[in-house]
Amino acid sequence: MLRPILTLFAASLAAPVLAQAPLASGQTTDCLVRVNPAPASWIIQGYDPFAGSIPEGTYGVTFVNDGGAECRFRPTFVLRQPPFGLSKGIEKPVRYALLNLTDSQDVTPRAGRSQPRLSQRELVLAPGESRSLTYRLVAEPDDVRSSGTFTQDVTLEAQDNSFRSLGGAPLVFGIKVLPSARVGLTGAYRMNDGQAVVSLGELREGVAPVPLQLRVSSTGDYDIMVSSANSGRLRLGSSQWFVPYSVAIGGNAVNLTGARTVTGSKRSGLLRDSLPFQFVIGDVSNRRAGVYSDVVSVSITAR
């Protein structure tokens, strides 16, 4: 009786700084705030939606009083072009939250601008004085549906109690989502030393009656690469006895004589596919009895 075993790998705090100086020639005697974001674009870099991490980044801003009078203001973020959310123009925007870590305040411009709160204290800067604040930008991971760069243009203004701007600077909020894909296996298999082991039962020519599926998660189109250690042959130990076979993924036949690629369906957005994985056995006549096996490697690449 032929009892093959196939081993399958499924790859897959505000600090004031006083800098008092006499007014330079031509310096205004009014309050004038210079806003210096660092960096100029607040982009959450390299987010992988399948890695289980929170998409967030921490950034800083320094406010400098370049005028000759005391400045009293609240930092306010204003959308330059609603609606609210990070976008690349073709999908539903990715929501986000913006937190002032220095003062523990939510300053997200959900209604087009940061909403004034009674608990939000004014910043008071003497002429020539500066102060730095730290902010955290957090994107909503459930809103991420594809790879690419999603942004929103905003302006950070120093506004007084009359909502008059005493100075400001343009900013870009965003998140850069990496092309990413994961592949796993479900069905009739067991794990052994981190490997998925599939028993094909008694070898018979045709499709082996083993229910298996590849579970694919991807940020868009993807390619599945399949290779066989024995070039599409089940081998009896270290002997020269072989049984030819091939596989089919999602109904697409794969010849294992060399590394082969199966292209996933051409769709956009976050994908979660379940693809039948079948073994097609070749001629088994006149073969010596024993356990035949091969190692199949499966990996996936997002496009």
Side-chain angles (χ1 to χ4, degrees), residues 6-303:
L6 182 91
T7 302
L8 183 71
F9 291 91
S12 69
L13 303 159
V17 178
L18 296 177
Q20 298 288 352
L23 293 181
S25 177
Q27 182 178 10
T28 179
T29 57
D30 295 330
C31 163
L32 179 62
V33 178
R34 174 162 44 93
V35 181
N36 295 327
S41 295
W42 295 1
I43 307 294
I44 302 168
Q45 296 286 348
Y47 176 61
D48 183 342
F50 304 118
S53 60
I54 300 297
E56 62 183 4
T58 302
Y59 313 92
V61 179
T62 299
F63 299 89
V64 184
N65 184 353
D66 283 338
E70 179 184 79
C71 292
R72 292 178 172 269
F73 60 92
R74 290 182 172 88
T76 303
F77 294 85
V78 181
L79 300 185
R80 279 188 267 165
Q81 188 173 355
F84 168 76
L86 309 175
S87 173
K88 62 177 184 179
I90 58 176
E91 298 176 0
K92 183 180 178 181
V94 176
R95 293 168 294 173
Y96 61 89
L98 183 64
L99 309 176
N100 178 339
L101 298 182
T102 305
D103 295 331
S104 301
Q105 296 284 345
D106 184 342
V107 292
T108 311
R110 296 182 181 89
R113 57 182 293 129
S114 303
Q115 296 304 299
R117 302 176 185 272
L118 295 177
S119 59
Q120 184 180 8
R121 64 186 178 91
E122 285 185 323
L123 292 184
V124 182
L125 298 181
E129 185 180 6
S130 67
R131 182 163 296 178
S132 296
L133 302 180
T134 302
Y135 292 88
R136 176 174 293 158
L137 178 65
V138 184
E140 172 52 65
D142 291 341
D143 289 350
V144 175
R145 298 176 180 84
S146 64
S147 60
T149 301
F150 301 77
T151 62
Q152 179 150 58
D153 295 333
V154 301
T155 300
L156 173 53
E157 296 183 355
Q159 294 188 354
D160 64 14
N161 286 332
S162 300
F163 304 104
R164 179 172 61 98
S165 178
L166 306 177
L171 264 174
V172 177
F173 294 164
I175 179 171
K176 186 173 184 179
V177 182
L178 297 172
S180 179
R182 298 288 190 275
V183 64
L185 191 65
T186 61
Y189 72 95
R190 61 183 176 86
M191 296 300 297
N192 182 27
D193 293 333
Q195 302 174 2
V197 181
V198 180
S199 175
L200 300 179
E202 183 177 352
L203 281 181
R204 299 180 186 277
E205 190 170 347
V207 178
V210 180
L212 282 175
Q213 291 184 323
L214 290 182
R215 302 297 297 271
V216 174
S217 300
S218 177
T219 54
D221 292 349
Y222 56 87
D223 293 323
I224 298 175
M225 282 68 69
V226 188
S227 63
S228 159
N230 293 324
S231 300
R233 298 179 297 175
L234 298 167
R235 183 176 183 177
L236 177 62
S238 58
S239 73
Q240 295 304 307
W241 290 90
F242 295 96
V243 172
Y245 79 102
S246 63
V247 299
I249 300 176
N252 297 307
V254 182
N255 187 326
L256 297 176
T257 55
R260 293 293 185 267
T261 299
V262 176
T263 301
S265 56
K266 296 185 179 300
R267 291 174 291 154
S268 60
L270 216 59
L271 305 179
R272 298 188 184 276
D273 293 338
S274 183
L275 306 174
F277 192 100
Q278 298 172 305
F279 299 92
V280 184
I281 310 303
D283 184 11
V284 298
S285 62
N286 300 318
R287 298 303 196 273
R288 179 178 293 178
V291 177
Y292 288 71
S293 65
D294 188 19
V295 177
V296 174
S297 297
V298 180
S299 62
I300 190 169
T301 302
R303 286 188 277 113

